[in-house]
């Protein structure tokens, strides 16, 4: 999980601070030493760490914190603000040229995920109503053009290519001309990479840049390379002049040093982060939301964004009406499970929820097939059984368990969870309508079988 180790260590520091009624200067400095070690272990650039801790310590030993009624929370607030500032303070969006097509030049080393990111970004822009074109300018890597065509087909984006014999700058120029003639308002140029930065690579990229004059040059870096990613970003920025950065494979990096360092070192914003293989796993980068995730405070806004993308609006309205009328069925429950699956891995979703202990989540055995098991059980029922689970006797449950490949205990557990959810929804609708509903537990959620 992204930032797993850093998040766990920082939360441990804050837990110790929360237990103190007042903080001494020694308490603050001891805590800052632990924060410093946590950041260094997360592979954050040492100069960035030094400046971060210096600024944080100055603020933390100030009057407002030392005299606060809850100084531990004040320190957490300061760390949250500093982390957000470190990563860029606000979201940095793509810019578009006044006269189409807008040209984005995708650059980076081999293996960073440049071609896949080009495809994902084009897919995102297409969903926003744009008409993108991918241009294949990597003429060196075997099957690079074919890979881009496969990626383009995945997201229904056309690819312009001229084979592997023509000069990349010429291909880029012809690609932009083709976009102009065929109504494409966005062009993404997938350039060649190398295993290491060299003069030949930079010379070629500079030639492409001077030929097509891109609106933005976007560098793709691999989060798992840590400090190397930061060094690569610094060099590309010095040689080409970057406009933004896309960080890939963040879901596989437990440290997060690249994300926490690259903006401070290069001065260039992170615009997107890759959190998985699917199109929806490429997310706009929000520094404040990422800081909240790192500090274990959840990320409700990103969770809502994912839900809005995954859930059908008409079905959501119908579900709300059924909840109000207390007529929810197992068919409705099944629809919700199927839409949840579109939102991404359960571990990532749980990590966005406030109040979830991130240290426990890191070591938890989360059953990513839980929703599939629920789906199999419900689909093994008849329509009548889904509408009225009260008719499920022993023999029916045995048939359902056999049909779904699960146990009778699994069937009983699902039915109990469904009944708990119906009771909870009934209590909520009672409260919403001004009636005296049942007093619910704070933060109550249906006990879905995510944990083994």
């Amino acid at each position: 999980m992204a930032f797993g180790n850093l998040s766990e260590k920082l939360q441990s520091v804050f837990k110790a601070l929360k237990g103190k009624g007042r903080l001494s200067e020694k308490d603050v400095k001891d805590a800052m030493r632990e924060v410093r070690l946590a950041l260094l272990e997360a592979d954050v650039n040492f100069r960035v760490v030094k400046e971060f801790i210096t600024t944080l310590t100055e603020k933390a030993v100030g009057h407002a914190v030392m005299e606060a009624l809850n100084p531990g929370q004040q320190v957490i607030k300061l760390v949250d603000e500093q982390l957000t500032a470190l990563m860029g303070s606000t979201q940095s969006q793509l810019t578009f040229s006044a006269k189409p097509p807008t040209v984005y030049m995708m650059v980076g080393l081999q293996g960073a995920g440049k071609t896949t990111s080009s495809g994902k970004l084009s897919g995102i822009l297409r969903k926003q109503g744009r008409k993108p074109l991918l241009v294949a300018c990597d003429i060196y890597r075997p099957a690079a053009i074919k890979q881009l065509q496969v990626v383009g087909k995945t997201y229904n984006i056309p690819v312009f290519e001229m084979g592997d014999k023509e000069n990349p700058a010429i291909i880029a120029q012809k690609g932009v001309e083709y976009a102009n003639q065929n109504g494409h308002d966005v062009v993404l140029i997938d350039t060649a990479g190398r295993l290491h930065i060299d003069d030949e690579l930079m010379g070629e990229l500079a030639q492409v840049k001077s030929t097509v004059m891109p609106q933005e040059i976007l560098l793709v870096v691999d989060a798992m390379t840590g400090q190397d990613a930061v060094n690569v970003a610094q060099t590309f920025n010095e040689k080409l002049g970057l406009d933004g950065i896309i960080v890939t494979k963040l879901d596989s990096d437990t440290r997060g040093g690249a994300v926490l360092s690259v903006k401070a070192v290069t001065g260039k914003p992170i615009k997107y982060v890759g959190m998985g293989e699917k199109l929806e796993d490429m997310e706009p980068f929000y520094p404040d939301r990422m800081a909240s995730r790192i500090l274990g405070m959840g990320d409700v806004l990103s969770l809502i964004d994912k839900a809005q993308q995954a859930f059908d609006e008409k079905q959501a309205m119908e579900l709300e009406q059924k909840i109000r009328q207390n007529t929810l069925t197992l068919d409705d429950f099944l629809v919700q499970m199927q839409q949840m699956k579109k939102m991404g891995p359960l571990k990532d979703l749980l990590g966005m929820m406030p109040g979830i202990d991130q240290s426990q989540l890191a070591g938890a055995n989360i059953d990513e097939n839980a929703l599939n098991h629920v789906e199999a059980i419900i689909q093994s029922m008849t329509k009548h059984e889904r509408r009225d689970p009260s008719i499920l006797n022993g023999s029916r449950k045995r048939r359902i368990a056999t049909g779904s490949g699960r146990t009778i205990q699994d069937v009983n557990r699902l039915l109990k969870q469904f009944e708990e959810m119906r009771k909870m929804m009934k209590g909520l609708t009672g409260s919403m309508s001004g009636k005296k509903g049942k007093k619910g537990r704070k933060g109550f959620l249906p006990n879905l079988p995510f944990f083994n």
Side-chain angles (χ1 to χ4, degrees):
M1 185 173 66
F3 298 104
N5 295 343
L6 176 61
S7 182
E8 184 178 349
K9 285 181 169 62
L10 289 179
Q11 288 179 59
S12 177
V13 173
F14 300 145
K15 188 175 181 180
L17 290 178
K18 284 180 179 178
K20 296 179 180 292
R22 285 284 188 275
L23 294 185
S24 67
E25 190 168 331
K26 182 180 182 302
D27 291 331
V28 171
K29 289 188 175 179
D30 287 346
M32 291 304 107
R33 184 175 64 251
E34 294 301 318
V35 171
R36 176 178 175 275
L37 289 172
L39 291 170
L40 289 173
E41 286 179 17
D43 208 18
V44 180
N45 180 277
F46 76 93
R47 290 191 184 90
V48 173
V49 173
K50 183 179 179 181
E51 185 175 342
F52 182 92
I53 295 299
T54 300
T55 305
L56 192 58
T57 302
E58 288 174 357
K59 292 181 178 180
V61 296
H63 178 78
V65 171
M66 305 301 285
E67 299 299 321
L69 291 175
N70 195 327
Q73 288 185 350
Q74 287 289 97
V75 172
I76 295 172
K77 181 173 180 291
L78 287 175
V79 174
D80 182 32
E81 291 171 352
Q82 284 297 110
L83 280 175
T84 301
L86 184 67
M87 293 184 286
S89 295
T90 57
Q91 183 205 10
S92 180
Q93 299 182 344
L94 294 175
T95 61
F96 295 89
S97 58
K99 182 182 178 182
T102 298
V103 179
Y104 299 117
M105 184 173 161
M106 310 291 286
V107 301
L109 296 184
Q110 281 187 18
K114 179 165 40 63
T115 299
T116 303
S117 295
S118 298
K120 286 183 178 180
L121 185 55
S122 68
I124 290 170
L125 291 168
R126 184 174 179 274
K127 287 180 73 174
Q128 293 174 356
R130 307 278 175 178
K131 191 179 177 184
L133 173 73
L134 290 165
V135 177
C137 286
D138 185 352
I139 63 172
Y140 305 107
R141 184 167 56 90
I145 296 172
K146 180 64 177 176
Q147 183 192 357
L148 188 66
Q149 289 173 328
V150 170
V151 169
K153 187 175 181 181
T154 301
Y155 303 117
N156 197 23
I157 309 295
V159 175
F160 178 88
E161 56 91 11
M162 296 175 64
D164 58 3
K165 305 300 181 187
E166 189 58 82
N167 181 284
I170 298 296
I171 298 172
Q173 182 181 35
K174 295 294 184 183
V176 174
E177 290 174 2
Y178 177 88
N180 247 323
Q181 295 163 4
N182 291 273
H184 295 281
D185 55 3
V186 175
V187 176
L188 293 99
I189 298 175
D190 182 34
T191 64
R194 299 282 194 280
L195 293 175
H196 302 285
I197 295 172
D198 58 36
D199 291 338
E200 184 182 359
L201 168 66
M202 287 303 171
E204 181 180 292
L205 294 177
Q207 188 180 10
V208 173
K209 176 184 176 181
S210 63
T211 301
V212 298
M213 300 297 290
Q215 174 74 10
E216 293 194 11
I217 299 178
L218 302 173
L219 173 69
V220 181
V221 295
D222 181 345
M224 295 185 69
T225 59
Q227 280 298 298
D228 283 345
V230 179
N231 297 333
V232 165
Q234 191 170 18
T235 304
F236 267 89
N237 186 47
E238 290 169 356
K239 300 288 186 180
L240 284 178
L242 300 175
D243 296 286
I245 297 166
I246 296 173
V247 180
T248 63
K249 305 176 190 175
L250 189 57
D251 56 316
S252 303
D253 178 35
T254 60
R255 298 171 301 172
V259 171
L260 288 169
S261 305
V262 71
K263 171 65 169 66
V265 171
T266 66
K268 303 301 178 181
I270 299 171
K271 299 209 171 187
Y272 284 91
V273 290
M275 302 291 284
E277 296 299 321
K278 299 177 183 176
L279 172 62
E280 57 269 23
D281 294 332
M282 189 178 196
E283 305 174 1
F285 183 70
Y286 296 88
D288 54 341
R289 298 185 190 184
M290 191 59 73
S292 290
R293 287 194 209 183
I294 294 169
L295 298 179
M297 297 188 292
D299 183 1
V300 174
L301 292 176
S302 291
L303 193 60
I304 291 170
D305 286 346
K306 282 184 174 289
Q308 287 176 335
Q309 292 173 24
F311 282 72
D312 181 89
E313 188 175 351
K314 183 181 177 183
Q315 287 180 330
M317 291 177 67
E318 291 173 353
L319 179 68
E320 182 183 354
Q321 190 65 26
K322 289 187 175 186
I323 290 172
R324 289 182 181 276
Q325 296 172 355
N326 198 30
T327 57
L328 207 66
T329 69
L330 279 165
D331 274 322
D332 302 317
F333 193 61
L334 177 60
V335 169
Q336 296 311 299
M337 295 301 101
Q338 290 171 334
Q339 303 226 28
M340 269 191 73
K341 285 166 65 176
K342 298 177 186 177
M343 293 174 63
L346 293 173
K347 198 164 190 175
D348 291 348
L349 299 182
L350 290 171
M352 294 181 189
M353 293 181 181
I356 296 287
D357 188 330
Q358 300 297 308
S359 61
Q360 289 183 11
L361 189 60
N365 185 15
I366 297 177
D367 184 3
E368 291 289 346
N369 290 315
L371 299 184
N372 293 333
H373 299 161
V374 169
E375 193 174 350
I377 291 171
I378 296 176
Q379 288 179 336
S380 296
M381 298 177 185
T382 65
K383 288 184 178 180
H384 186 35
E385 288 168 345
R386 295 181 201 179
R387 285 195 298 267
D388 183 12
S390 65
I391 68 172
L392 291 174
N393 55 25
S395 63
R396 286 177 183 262
K397 289 177 182 178
R398 278 194 294 274
R399 189 201 78 244
I400 293 166
T402 302
S404 62
R406 308 307 298 168
T407 66
I408 292 177
Q409 288 82 1
D410 291 331
V411 176
N412 286 332
R413 189 181 303 117
L414 170 60
L415 294 173
K416 182 181 178 183
Q417 289 156 1
F418 176 66
E419 193 53 41
E420 282 182 350
M421 189 182 79
R422 279 175 45 133
K423 287 178 182 177
M424 180 190 72
M425 294 302 183
K426 186 177 180 180
L428 286 175
T429 53
S431 300
M432 287 188 291
S433 60
K435 298 176 183 177
K436 186 177 181 181
K438 293 183 180 179
K439 187 177 181 181
R441 288 174 285 164
K442 185 178 181 182
F444 173 76
L445 287 168
N447 184 28
L448 292 172
F450 296 156
F451 298 89
N452 284 335

